[in-house]
Amino acid sequence: MTESTQPAGFPVHWDDPADAELGWNHDPGHYPNVITPLGYDLHTEPLLCGFGPGTTELTGAPMSVRTKLINYWVYGNWQSSGRAQAPRSQEEMNKLLSETPSRWRDDVLPESLRLIEHYAATDFDGLTDSELASQLEELREMRVRQGYLQTIVTGAWQMAMNRLVDTFQELTGAGALDALRLVQGYGNKSVEAGDALWRLSKVANSISFVREHILESELEPAAQFVACLRTEPQAMRFVDALDAFLDDYGWRTDLIGFASPTWREDPLIALQQLSHYLELGDYDPVHEQEKLARERDAAIEQTKDSLDDADWSRLQNALDLARDVVSMKEDRHYYHSQRLTTMPRRLVLAAGRRLVERGQLELERDIFYLHLTEACAALRGESSDAGALVSECKAEMERWSKVDPPQFVGAPPSRGVDSRSGAYLRRAFGVHGLTSDDPNVLVGNGCSSGVARGSARVILGLADAHRLRKGDVLVTKTTMPPWTPLFPVSCAVVTESGGVLSHPAVTAREYGIPAVLGVSNATGLLKDGQLVEVDGAKGTVRILS
């Protein structure tokens, strides 16, 4: 084992010295926080491992994806593996993209639903200790398959969106935001979740007893709050609607992973977001989507009128391919990043309960602080130090959570990226480190057009989202689909990561609000209550007070 002391204050231990010669990148857009050992072993590491074969299938270029958990922060290395094949021809790419919707509908989604059903229906508490350990090991293998399924869907989506932007820019000279306006307003499962929460707010608003309790009572602990509502006959219509909402959309946590309780387990965040919706007044998501659709159709007609027949035919081909897959990224999140990701908590918590019964753990959730090998050894009676390992891990995670991790470890980042690949990476992840000569202006990636003024509200996690008020500017490190209900409450979004094809960008455009992403240290530089102006086209955040 060798040790790298660079960068200072963030020691890196290399089990294989050859790994120190590779470049390892931290992705704050997807992994902004430290993660638990079992969350890494049973989700992050095998999931990203599955990205390799999925990428290889899509592009024809052999690719491997490896990760490391360094001081409880996730680092990844993507590299070509094996002999490169000839790039796919335009005809091959057209065929692949045109077949993606049917492949999602007929193959990927049915397989995903079968996997979800296994983790939803199995009586894991009825298994033996050895069977539980085996199920945990099989879960790791399932995650590799999940990563593959995710990649062939999301990768095709990325290809179609990039094809649209490339073609549009070549033919019109306009920017990516103008191109992506041609596919706005089609909705997706993330927007659908926000719409469902809005409908739930209408039920709550129609029952004065429920409305008053949500707005005026203490919501925490949420389980106790809902239990009290269940005893009131006048509240049952709302309780039934809440149960249905949580069954459909409650299998979600703050960001990516499954180590944190879902909304279905603890509905506090759902209730807090519901309270915001009760204060939205005449907001109507149907009318908002219709407005976006009208703007989209007008932009398409304007673009068509500006091109000759041959150029329009080229653009229309790219537009048709993009339109067919435009909702699939967020729809895939609903099934993969939420239900298939979090449903296996039933298995892991059953194993945790078993170790609590044995006296090895104090709490069932403590199992997430063990590595997979440690959890399986404890279940099989091969070790008895699980409690000590958990205590040590908690202390170390607390320590490293306060450290700002370096973006790269190991070898310096490669500069050998061709211009097209670089453009695609910028659209997905954004450009970082942008600066302004004006101390009152922060600069990032303009990812959703429009200009809005409001009070900055720094939200570091959904548990903190109750502080957001209608008309605030949401300022955070990153967002994932569970954050979608915050978008109609906000007048604009500012994040520390992301490009025009990232989740916060896609969602901001679907809600018609400005978004500036990839603003360095936005959560540190912007203070709660500061009046700011966000220009989503220019990519600027101006501090006004």
Side-chain angles (χ1 to χ4, degrees):
M1 178 183 295
T2 63
E3 178 176 326
S4 169
T5 58
Q6 297 296 327
F10 198 84
V12 181
H13 302 272
W14 304 105
D15 293 320
D16 183 348
D19 286 342
E21 305 303 317
L22 302 176
W24 301 85
N25 175 56
H26 171 59
D27 174 12
H30 291 92
Y31 303 102
N33 303 316
V34 292
I35 66 171
T36 63
L38 201 61
Y40 175 78
D41 290 349
L42 289 183
H43 183 257
T44 309
E45 187 276 329
L47 185 82
L48 293 180
C49 180
F51 285 10
T55 303
T56 299
E57 180 175 317
L58 285 174
T59 65
M63 178 69 65
S64 67
V65 182
R66 295 175 57 207
T67 61
K68 286 186 177 294
L69 190 63
I70 303 175
N71 303 325
Y72 299 97
W73 294 95
V74 177
Y75 283 81
N77 170 264
W78 292 63
Q79 60 180 330
S80 298
S81 58
R83 174 175 292 183
Q85 302 174 17
R88 292 189 185 277
S89 67
Q90 187 82 353
E91 292 74 20
E92 289 176 321
M93 291 302 301
N94 286 341
K95 183 175 186 294
L96 183 151
L97 293 177
S98 66
E99 291 175 349
T100 296
S102 61
R103 188 177 187 187
W104 162 253
R105 181 182 62 251
D106 300 334
D107 300 323
V108 176
L109 182 56
E111 180 178 351
S112 303
L113 292 174
R114 288 193 297 271
L115 293 171
I116 291 169
E117 179 62 20
H118 169 72
Y119 291 102
T122 301
D123 176 17
F124 294 112
D125 285 308
L127 301 182
T128 66
D129 293 354
S130 179
E131 288 170 336
L132 279 173
S134 295
Q135 282 282 331
L136 291 177
E137 292 167 338
E138 291 172 14
L139 172 57
R140 187 196 176 283
E141 298 307 310
M142 187 280 285
R143 293 297 194 201
V144 177
R145 180 65 179 175
Q146 179 183 348
Y148 164 80
L149 294 174
Q150 288 187 193
T151 305
I152 60 175
V153 174
T154 302
W157 179 90
Q158 293 273 2
M159 289 178 178
M161 294 303 117
N162 279 311
R163 170 80 68 83
L164 173 62
V165 173
D166 286 344
T167 306
F168 184 88
Q169 290 182 327
E170 178 189 342
L171 297 176
T172 71
L177 293 184
D178 293 314
L180 295 170
R181 187 175 289 115
L182 306 185
V183 287
Q184 73 179 28
Y186 285 109
N188 51 59
K189 296 292 284 187
S190 293
V191 173
E192 182 182 294
D195 294 351
L197 190 63
W198 174 78
R199 291 193 297 272
L200 181 61
S201 76
K202 292 301 181 183
V203 176
N205 203 42
S206 70
I207 307 171
S208 58
F209 173 82
V210 172
R211 174 184 169 83
E212 292 171 4
H213 271 63
I214 292 175
L215 293 178
E216 301 175 9
S217 301
E218 179 61 50
L219 297 176
E220 196 170 0
Q224 181 177 322
F225 177 85
V226 175
C228 290
L229 287 182
R230 293 186 191 279
T231 66
E232 298 289 340
Q234 58 188 315
M236 286 312 299
R237 183 162 63 90
F238 168 76
V239 171
D240 289 343
L242 175 63
D243 288 342
F245 173 82
L246 292 174
D247 282 343
D248 284 340
Y249 303 104
W251 296 96
R252 49 178 60 195
T253 60
D254 262 32
L255 297 168
I256 290 178
F258 79 134
S260 301
T262 65
W263 291 13
R264 198 172 185 276
E265 296 169 78
D266 181 358
L268 176 62
I269 292 173
L271 291 170
Q272 289 174 337
Q273 294 193 4
L274 182 64
S275 69
H276 296 320
Y277 275 52
L278 289 173
E279 299 174 338
L280 282 181
D282 59 358
Y283 170 77
D284 186 335
V286 175
H287 291 165
E288 294 298 320
Q289 285 292 301
E290 291 173 346
K291 177 184 175 183
L292 288 171
R294 288 194 299 271
E295 293 174 354
R296 175 196 69 220
D297 293 343
I300 291 174
E301 286 302 313
Q302 182 180 3
T303 304
K304 181 179 180 180
D305 291 343
S306 70
L307 299 174
D308 61 32
D309 289 346
D311 285 347
W312 170 247
S313 178
R314 281 187 60 201
L315 181 59
Q316 187 172 37
N317 176 263
L319 180 59
D320 288 344
L321 290 173
R323 184 189 296 118
D324 287 344
V325 303
V326 67
S327 299
M328 286 176 48
K329 178 181 180 180
E330 297 300 311
D331 290 358
R332 195 278 306 161
H333 271 302
Y334 172 79
Y335 293 103
H336 289 160
S337 301
Q338 295 171 38
R339 301 178 79 83
L340 186 53
T341 289
T342 63
M343 203 75 76
R345 278 180 61 83
R346 297 185 63 251
L347 161 63
V348 176
L349 292 177
R353 285 190 292 274
R354 191 66 54 83
L355 294 179
V356 170
E357 293 169 3
R358 284 179 163 208
Q360 291 221 47
L361 298 179
E362 291 186 14
L363 302 169
E364 62 185 38
R365 64 175 179 268
D366 284 349
I367 192 173
F368 281 101
Y369 295 95
L370 300 174
H371 279 290
L372 174 60
T373 54
E374 296 165 345
C376 290
L379 285 167
R380 290 172 172 142
E382 298 168 355
S383 69
S384 58
D385 59 349
L389 291 171
V390 166
S391 297
E392 179 182 355
C393 178
K394 287 182 177 180
E396 284 294 292
M397 284 191 67
E398 175 66 19
R399 171 193 169 199
W400 287 110
S401 69
K402 299 174 182 177
V403 172
D404 187 17
Q407 185 174 356
F408 299 100
V409 297
S414 172
R415 302 299 181 187
V417 178
D418 63 75
S419 58
R420 172 163 291 188
S421 297
Y424 292 172
L425 288 172
R426 289 192 294 273
R427 289 171 193 164
F429 299 103
V431 178
H432 295 270
L434 297 172
T435 59
S436 168
D437 293 333
D438 188 337
N440 290 317
V441 176
L442 307 183
V443 182
N445 304 283
C447 293
S448 181
S449 297
V451 178
R453 289 186 177 188
S455 297
R457 197 65 57 204
V458 180
I459 306 294
L460 298 181
L462 286 181
D464 202 30
H466 63 279
R467 297 191 300 103
L468 188 72
R469 291 292 175 262
K470 181 180 179 182
D472 283 348
V473 173
L474 173 61
V475 181
T476 187
K477 292 183 177 181
T478 188
T479 73
M480 287 293 156
W483 291 63
T484 299
L486 300 184
F487 282 65
V489 180
S490 311
C491 72
V493 176
V494 177
T495 72
E496 294 182 349
S497 62
V500 293
L501 295 182
S502 65
H503 168 265
V506 171
T507 305
R509 291 194 295 270
E510 285 301 301
Y511 280 100
I513 62 174
V516 179
L517 312 182
V519 179
S520 298
N521 195 28
T523 59
L525 296 174
L526 296 174
K527 309 302 179 185
D528 262 7
Q530 278 185 317
L531 181 64
V532 298
E533 180 181 85
V534 179
D535 189 323
K538 293 182 179 178
T540 58
V541 182
R542 183 175 295 276
I543 300 173
L544 302 176
S545 69

